[in-house]
Amino acid sequence: MTTSARPLVLLDVDGVLNPFHRPSSRFDRHECVVDGCMYQVLLDERHGAELRALAEDTGAELVWATTWEENANTEIGPRLGLPRLPVIKVTAGAGVADGPLFKTGPVAEYVRGRPFVWFDDELTSADWEYLTGHPDVGEFLLVEVDPRSGLSGCDIDRARDWLAAPRA
């Protein structure tokens, strides 16, 4: 397991960058077409600048960890002013009741010992247990974002503090 590589910041879209309800007028409504289907998303363009600053200030690499997969690079990132980001291939599907999120296995395989922060709205103790017990997972911070309001300044500050802390 290597921890010499840059830390990662893993980004979900729905519930994190696209909250379930419009929490404030800062969020603009956008229409996205994915595989011929129209979706409406609520995005706050300031999130892009905040995430870029988080990555630059901490030396972290931003990565999509969302069922939007590559569509996040074409439909979400440009609206937030984010560059093209690496994508963790996750398989959309139902998780096991009381088990880890369906994305947790692919995340564990992707990180390969690199420290990471994961912003998601569906994380539970089962995800923490799975990641803690996985041999290729090093240090991590799970940030459970409130899907009603989406990513907050407090969530970003928590990630910044954790990424800035010395690593073992």
Side-chain angles (χ1 to χ4, degrees), residues 1-3 5-11 54 58 60-63 65 88 103-120 123 127-128 130-132 134 136-143 158-159 162-163 167:
M1 188 173 346
T2 177
T3 56
R6 292 171 56 195
L8 302 167
V9 175
L10 310 182
L11 303 170
L54 174 65
T58 63
E61 178 182 6
L62 300 173
V63 177
I88 298 174
K103 294 188 266 184
T104 305
V107 163
E109 296 301 319
Y110 185 89
V111 298
R112 294 193 176 131
R114 292 168 71 177
F116 68 96
V117 172
W118 185 5
F119 292 116
D120 204 295
L123 298 168
D127 301 295
W128 186 87
Y130 181 95
L131 293 167
T132 301
H134 198 282
D136 290 332
V137 174
E139 296 178 273
F140 63 90
L141 173 67
L142 302 181
V143 179
R158 185 172 169 214
W162 188 85
L163 288 163
R167 295 273 151 292

Side-chain angles (χ1 to χ4, degrees), residues 89-107:
K89 299 293 183 190
V90 296
T91 303
V96 177
D98 297 325
L101 183 62
F102 64 90
K103 294 188 266 184
T104 305
V107 163

Side-chain angles (χ1 to χ4, degrees), residues 9-18 20 51 63-69 72 76 80 90 101-103 117-123 143 145 147 151:
V9 175
L10 310 182
L11 303 170
D12 183 30
V13 172
D14 295 321
V16 176
L17 298 175
N18 173 34
F20 293 160
L51 290 166
V63 177
W64 293 117
T66 174
T67 56
W68 284 75
E69 293 186 343
I76 305 300
L80 296 176
V90 296
L101 183 62
F102 64 90
K103 294 188 266 184
V117 172
W118 185 5
F119 292 116
D120 204 295
D121 63 306
E122 296 185 282
L123 298 168
V143 179
V145 175
L151 187 66

Side-chain angles (χ1 to χ4, degrees), residues 13-99:
V13 172
D14 295 321
V16 176
L17 298 175
N18 173 34
F20 293 160
H21 304 285
R22 190 176 192 184
S24 77
S25 60
R26 294 186 340 234
F27 286 80
D28 293 322
R29 189 174 310 279
H30 300 273
E31 291 183 347
C32 303
V33 178
V34 176
D35 298 329
C37 295
M38 176 77 71
Y39 296 94
Q40 288 193 356
V41 295
L42 297 168
L43 300 173
D44 179 351
E45 70 179 36
R46 290 186 290 181
H47 280 149
E50 292 168 344
L51 290 166
R52 284 191 321 275
L54 174 65
E56 290 168 14
D57 295 348
T58 63
E61 178 182 6
L62 300 173
V63 177
W64 293 117
T66 174
T67 56
W68 284 75
E69 293 186 343
E70 281 297 335
N71 292 306
N73 275 321
T74 57
E75 297 294 335
I76 305 300
R79 290 177 166 95
L80 296 176
L82 292 174
R84 185 166 206 78
L85 303 177
V87 174
I88 298 174
K89 299 293 183 190
V90 296
T91 303
V96 177
D98 297 325

